[in-house]
Amino acid sequence: MGKNKLKRFAINAQRRNVVEPGKEIFEKIKGNWNTFFNNNNDIVLELGCGRGEYTTGLAALFPNRNYVGVDIKGARIWKGSTVAEENNLTNAAFLRIRMYELENFFVEGEVSEIWITFPDPRPVDKHEKHRLTYPKYMDAYLKIMKPGGILHLKTDNLQFHEYSLSVMEQYKDRIKSLVHTEDLYNSPMLSEHYGIQTTYERRFLLENAKINYLKVEFN
């Protein structure tokens, strides 16, 4: 492991806005996120947040909401937590876990909204169960989200977008509304993403890739 990574891990260990293994708060955070943020505002997640562009970008735009970026990569989380610190975004935090652990860190109805931004599409069929819109993940999202919860998905991968739409069909009895586009930047839905771009997204746009987007509101 490089010196840079070790240095970043050491900084994460000292930061209040990083919730990770080894910290006392890590074992106690479930059901206590509003206490952690010291308010009763809505909690919004960015799953597979990487450098946390949405976590910090949305936190800056909406100071009356709390944002939690979730990822397993500590060096990437360091970047998002640094941006949050430098900009005094006290409504932004980062949780270092694997996605299948989500239900261990949020109680039922604790979350109001979820963003999934450019996840690994896992294009090989045998890896389907690792896709972040696979039914086992959807079940977890629905469990931790309050009624009226909203799920956003942005991806450059059309196959993954279409797969996700097919999964949503299984939940149609629980869906209040679903809108989607295969070309966000030439769509009336463009404002839905608040102009925030991830590192991957900027790269894809330079390659003239089309960005797919869907937004689901649940009953």
Side-chain angles (χ1 to χ4, degrees):
M1 189 182 293
K3 282 184 183 176
N4 224 16
K5 268 193 178 177
L6 289 172
K7 186 179 177 183
R8 289 176 177 187
F9 291 160
I11 293 169
N12 284 350
Q14 302 301 316
R15 280 197 175 146
R16 187 186 181 279
N17 68 2
V18 178
V19 177
E20 63 179 2
K23 294 185 178 183
E24 189 179 349
I25 189 70
F26 187 74
E27 307 296 334
K28 298 177 177 178
I29 196 68
K30 182 176 180 177
N32 292 307
W33 283 98
N34 282 119
T35 304
F36 175 85
F37 285 111
N38 200 29
N39 60 51
N40 289 315
N41 297 337
D42 283 349
I43 292 165
V44 181
L45 308 185
E46 182 190 8
L47 303 183
C49 69
R51 297 176 178 85
E53 287 98 342
Y54 265 81
T55 302
T56 54
L58 291 169
L61 287 173
F62 302 103
N64 294 325
R65 292 182 185 177
N66 302 317
Y67 292 88
V68 182
V70 184
D71 208 301
I72 192 61
K73 299 285 179 76
R76 291 180 185 171
I77 279 178
W78 167 86
K79 176 62 178 173
S81 74
T82 300
V83 171
E85 289 251 312
E86 289 175 348
N87 292 279
N88 196 31
L89 300 173
T90 56
N91 61 328
F94 294 85
L95 173 64
R96 190 180 177 199
I97 59 166
R98 297 190 184 278
M99 288 313 135
Y100 61 77
E101 301 176 282
L102 210 55
E103 285 182 72
N104 298 333
F105 293 88
F106 299 91
V107 294
E108 287 187 33
E110 195 169 13
V111 171
S112 66
E113 202 167 344
I114 292 174
W115 286 83
I116 304 174
T117 52
F118 298 91
D120 184 340
R122 303 284 187 168
V124 181
D125 285 346
K126 67 180 180 180
H127 295 157
E128 178 189 1
K129 64 183 180 183
H130 298 299
R131 295 172 188 163
L132 288 189
T133 50
Y134 184 65
K136 76 170 180 185
Y137 287 115
M138 290 298 303
D139 290 341
Y141 306 156
L142 283 164
K143 194 170 178 183
I144 65 173
M145 273 200 290
K146 58 181 66 172
I150 294 171
L151 175 73
H152 308 260
L153 171 68
K154 280 177 84 179
T155 177
D156 65 302
N157 189 290
L158 181 59
Q159 182 185 351
F160 178 62
H161 178 73
E162 290 175 341
Y163 167 81
S164 301
L165 284 170
S166 71
V167 171
M168 296 307 158
E169 275 292 307
Q170 299 176 38
Y171 295 89
K172 60 186 176 186
D173 292 344
R174 300 188 65 175
I175 290 175
K176 182 179 178 183
S177 68
L178 188 158
V179 290
H180 68 96
T181 175
E182 293 172 5
D183 187 4
L184 178 62
Y185 284 85
N186 288 297
S187 155
M189 297 171 67
L190 183 59
S191 62
E192 295 276 356
H193 82 138
Y194 303 106
I196 300 168
Q197 295 179 347
T198 71
T199 303
Y200 286 114
E201 184 172 2
R202 288 192 290 273
R203 191 182 305 163
F204 296 140
L205 289 169
L206 286 172
E207 296 167 2
N208 295 317
K210 284 186 167 59
I211 306 302
N212 307 274
Y213 170 77
L214 71 83
K215 177 183 178 182
V216 190
E217 184 179 355
F218 295 95
N219 294 325

